[in-house]
Amino acid sequence: PVTPPSRVRSGRLTRPGNAMAPKSDKTDWSDEHNVLTVTVLGCTGDLAKKKTYPALFALFLHEHMPPRTVVLGYARSPMTDESLRDKIRPALQGPKDKVETFLASCFFQQGEYGSDDSEENAESDPPVFGALGDRVRALEDSRGGGFRVTGHRIFYLALPPSVYPPVCANIKRACMSPTGWTRIVVEKPFGKDLQSSEELSAGISKLFTESQLYRIDHYLGKELTQNLVVMRFANRFLAPLWNRDNIANVQILFKEPFGTQGRGGYFDQYGIIRDIIQNHLLQLLCLVAMEKPCSLSPDDIRDEKLKVLRCIEPISTDNVALGQYTNGPGGEAYLDDATVPAGSKAPTFALCVLYVGNERWDGVPFIIKAGKALNEHKCEIRVQLKDVPGDLFAEQKVRGRQARNEFVVRLQPDPAIYMKMTVKEPGLGMELAQSELELLYTQKYESTPIPEAYERLILDCINGDQQHFVRRDELVAAWKIFTPLLKYIDAGGMNPELYPYGSRGPVNADKLRQKTGHVLNLTAKDITWAVDVEGD
């Protein structure tokens, strides 16, 4: 089994960079009785191969994995331990000897997932997951070293949400740990609207408590996302600026330069709002807008995020612009994807304007934009400040206005934090230019490995820290904001505007953004970076 002990401090795993994770579980991993089994259900799928197994290997490689850990893959496909190892080996990046040591603790169990009929699963003899439960117990006993073990179990559901209810029922019946804790990790999408989400949650919640459920939103595991709480509440100079008196608008942007790439059949069931905005970008909005929590405990932070969501009214169609990419210089139209239904109206682009109706943010537009087949790859948060009153440099205005300050957090690519400021250009004249006070992670922390989101979130699950996972009431509040709009779109109430593959997106999106009062940050000269004339 995997046994890297050096990161175990006082019986608790440390995070990358030697910083202790918030203490939320008391598992003493230095105790030889404690063993961990991570079961990856759907281990032959792309998610497991590209994300789950590489994240587990990274934890092992950087010595964050608990001692006496094994990884058990489960799928319908006939396979052996060795054939599973051969399948995932190419996805693991690291020294060959480390890869082989990790793979030696990876095993496979074949089996079915069960019927959609919960009563049928409950009455099946033997239990659907009976063999899986037996295999987990055998692997736990093999690591006991003659001791009676305390087995802790994580079940990672790298599966479509439609099979969550039978899978969870079968785990509950045959695979619960009798001596340690059991935790369930589920992936998005959590339903397609409020009703389907609640039906899914209700079925799972009958089987497991909220403390056992870990709903992954991998954007909450990104380095810069986790830095938002620190930046906001550990820096005095930001506090007096962070309100409606100083901030003109907040943009949260997600842009991909490629289309559906043969996955249009899956994407078409959801569209860009369900796929990106309702979960990933809305979680970023909460971290930008929330009040200071009482403490760093997971529930205190999630309580503040929930308050933000409850202050947002269901989005009006007047505050939405939709688009769908068509043929352009960058590629073929969305409808040319053979997996997309003919004549589909699914939006591949959306711009939504939300308002947080509380004292801090009343009247400030939060402009949420996401799209595929656009002109660049980017995900960032841009907080644009209002104009400086009593402008001393009116003669230096560009197109009749000032250049505005912006505080920018770029999540990808090349993570960075910077403040756009107006300064005097060096020389004898009084020419203004815009520059950046910047922190570029790839330069500042060049020698420091920055963990991937899944690596961090799996470690949080091992440690019992739910801060970066979505709670059920958060999910309900988020769906309440978007469900009326989504039902209207699904019924054909809004048609997306076509935009060329490789462009900035539909024209109606720029018009809506301008209507909110957002100002393109044009300056006479930018002395550090290429001129960002679009601000997005």
Side-chain angles (χ1 to χ4, degrees):
V2 178
T3 55
S6 62
R7 293 286 183 185
V8 179
R9 302 287 188 265
S10 302
R12 180 164 176 79
L13 295 175
T14 61
R15 281 176 172 269
N18 296 323
M20 292 294 287
K23 189 169 183 178
S24 47
D25 179 75
K26 296 181 179 179
T27 306
D28 183 359
W29 295 112
S30 63
D31 183 344
E32 295 182 357
H33 295 80
N34 285 315
V35 299
L36 175 65
T37 304
V38 180
T39 301
V40 182
L41 296 106
C43 67
T44 57
D46 281 350
L47 175 63
K49 180 181 177 181
K50 295 178 180 178
K51 297 295 184 182
T52 313
Y53 277 101
L56 290 165
F57 173 65
L59 288 175
F60 163 72
L61 182 64
H62 297 118
E63 301 181 344
H64 302 300
M65 188 74 84
R68 299 169 300 283
T69 295
V70 298
V71 182
L72 177 60
Y74 185 88
R76 293 190 180 102
S77 308
M79 191 175 288
T80 64
D81 294 344
E82 279 304 321
S83 58
L84 174 65
R85 292 164 185 163
D86 291 341
K87 182 179 180 66
I88 62 178
R89 184 179 283 108
L92 308 182
Q93 303 297 316
K96 184 177 179 180
D97 60 326
K98 296 291 187 181
V99 170
E100 295 306 317
T101 302
F102 172 76
L103 289 175
S105 291
C106 293
F107 302 91
F108 178 77
Q109 179 68 37
Q110 182 187 3
E112 296 296 320
Y113 293 115
S115 166
D116 291 338
D117 188 335
S118 58
E119 292 185 5
E120 183 178 327
N121 290 325
E123 295 173 0
S124 63
D125 188 19
V128 177
F129 280 5
L132 175 60
D134 292 341
R135 187 69 183 278
V136 171
R137 283 186 288 275
L139 289 170
E140 289 174 345
D141 290 340
S142 70
R143 285 165 284 157
F147 296 105
R148 182 179 178 85
V149 301
T150 300
H152 304 288
R153 303 175 184 179
I154 292 175
F155 292 89
Y156 194 113
L157 276 57
L159 298 166
S162 59
V163 302
Y164 287 174
V167 167
C168 287
N170 290 322
I171 290 172
K172 182 71 172 182
R173 183 181 179 197
C175 298
M176 299 295 288
S177 173
T179 55
W181 47 254
T182 301
R183 293 172 184 155
I184 313 297
V185 180
V186 295
E187 285 273 355
K188 78 169 187 71
F190 309 113
K192 297 184 68 174
D193 53 26
L194 178 60
Q195 180 180 347
S196 59
S197 174
E198 273 296 273
E199 288 173 355
L200 188 62
S201 293
I204 297 175
S205 296
K206 290 178 182 177
L207 304 166
F208 302 104
T209 65
E210 191 66 28
S211 64
Q212 292 176 302
L213 293 172
Y214 290 72
R215 300 177 187 86
I216 273 195
D217 183 327
H218 73 272
Y219 266 60
L220 291 177
K222 290 182 176 291
E223 180 67 33
L224 268 293
T225 303
Q226 302 210 334
N227 216 331
L228 282 172
V229 174
V230 178
M231 287 187 297
R232 282 204 53 203
F233 302 118
N235 293 287
R236 179 69 179 266
F237 79 96
L238 284 179
L241 298 176
W242 216 258
N243 54 56
R244 62 189 175 91
D245 296 330
N246 298 286
I247 293 176
N249 58 77
V250 178
Q251 288 193 93
I252 303 176
L253 312 169
F254 174 91
K255 303 173 74 174
E256 286 183 334
F258 48 83
T260 51
Q261 298 181 317
R263 295 181 65 251
Y266 167 81
F267 178 85
D268 201 78
Q269 300 176 50
Y270 296 96
I272 196 71
I273 295 176
R274 291 183 176 97
D275 193 42
I276 301 294
I277 293 178
Q278 182 272 339
N279 39 68
H280 301 325
L281 303 193
L282 194 60
Q283 285 291 321
L284 295 181
L285 183 154
C286 289
L287 293 172
V288 171
M290 74 181 192
E291 298 297 320
K292 187 174 183 178
C294 299
S295 74
L296 291 176
S297 77
D299 277 333
D300 283 343
I301 290 177
R302 295 190 293 181
D303 285 346
E304 294 303 330
K305 288 163 57 184
L306 179 62
K307 290 176 185 177
V308 172
L309 293 171
R310 287 178 171 171
C311 287
I312 302 174
E313 293 292 328
I315 188 167
S316 164
T317 54
D318 294 336
N319 288 328
V320 179
L322 301 179
Q324 185 186 95
Y325 66 86
T326 186
N327 292 311
E332 295 183 338
Y334 175 70
L335 294 178
D336 290 338
D337 185 330
T339 63
V340 173
S344 170
K345 300 294 185 181
T348 61
F349 175 101
L351 186 147
C352 304
V353 183
L354 305 178
Y355 291 89
V356 181
N358 63 16
E359 184 177 9
R360 180 183 294 273
W361 296 110
D362 187 32
V364 177
F366 284 77
I367 304 164
I368 316 298
K369 170 181 172 180
K372 290 183 172 293
L374 297 177
N375 59 337
E376 61 182 329
H377 175 51
K378 179 190 290 186
C379 181
E380 66 184 18
I381 300 163
R382 304 181 75 97
V383 179
Q384 186 177 81
L385 274 64
K386 294 182 176 180
D387 289 340
V388 176
D391 187 10
L392 293 175
F393 305 99
E395 294 181 0
Q396 299 291 335
K397 288 182 178 180
V398 178
R399 300 186 186 178
R401 63 169 181 77
Q402 300 175 8
R404 286 180 169 177
N405 299 130
E406 288 188 337
F407 183 74
V408 183
V409 178
R410 188 173 64 213
L411 280 70
Q412 60 188 33
D414 301 325
I417 304 167
Y418 61 95
M419 173 73 82
K420 295 183 75 73
M421 298 184 65
T422 301
V423 298
K424 176 187 174 298
E425 185 178 359
L428 297 176
M430 184 57 74
E431 295 188 21
L432 304 188
Q434 199 158 54
S435 183
E436 288 85 18
L437 296 174
E438 60 191 15
L439 167 60
L440 302 179
Y441 267 63
T442 51
Q443 295 180 13
K444 177 68 174 178
Y445 303 111
E446 184 178 5
S447 60
T448 303
I450 298 177
E452 292 292 329
Y454 278 90
E455 179 184 350
R456 187 187 307 271
L457 293 172
I458 291 173
L459 180 58
D460 283 346
C461 181
I462 293 170
N463 283 336
D465 183 357
Q466 293 184 301
Q467 176 180 333
H468 304 113
F469 295 84
V470 181
R471 204 168 59 188
R472 181 178 177 179
D473 51 4
E474 286 183 78
L475 199 56
V476 169
W479 277 121
K480 284 182 177 179
I481 296 168
F482 285 98
T483 291
L485 171 67
L486 291 168
K487 287 185 177 296
Y488 185 71
I489 294 172
D490 292 345
M494 292 184 72
N495 289 324
E497 175 188 341
L498 297 180
Y499 62 93
Y501 194 122
S503 67
R504 292 185 56 244
V507 174
N508 62 3
D510 285 336
K511 292 180 179 178
L512 176 57
R513 188 174 63 169
Q514 185 177 9
K515 179 182 173 183
T516 67
H518 176 267
V519 172
L520 295 179
N521 217 359
L522 298 172
T523 55
K525 187 174 183 181
D526 189 307
I527 62 175
T528 54
W529 291 16
V531 178
D532 186 2
V533 298
E534 300 172 1
D536 69 351

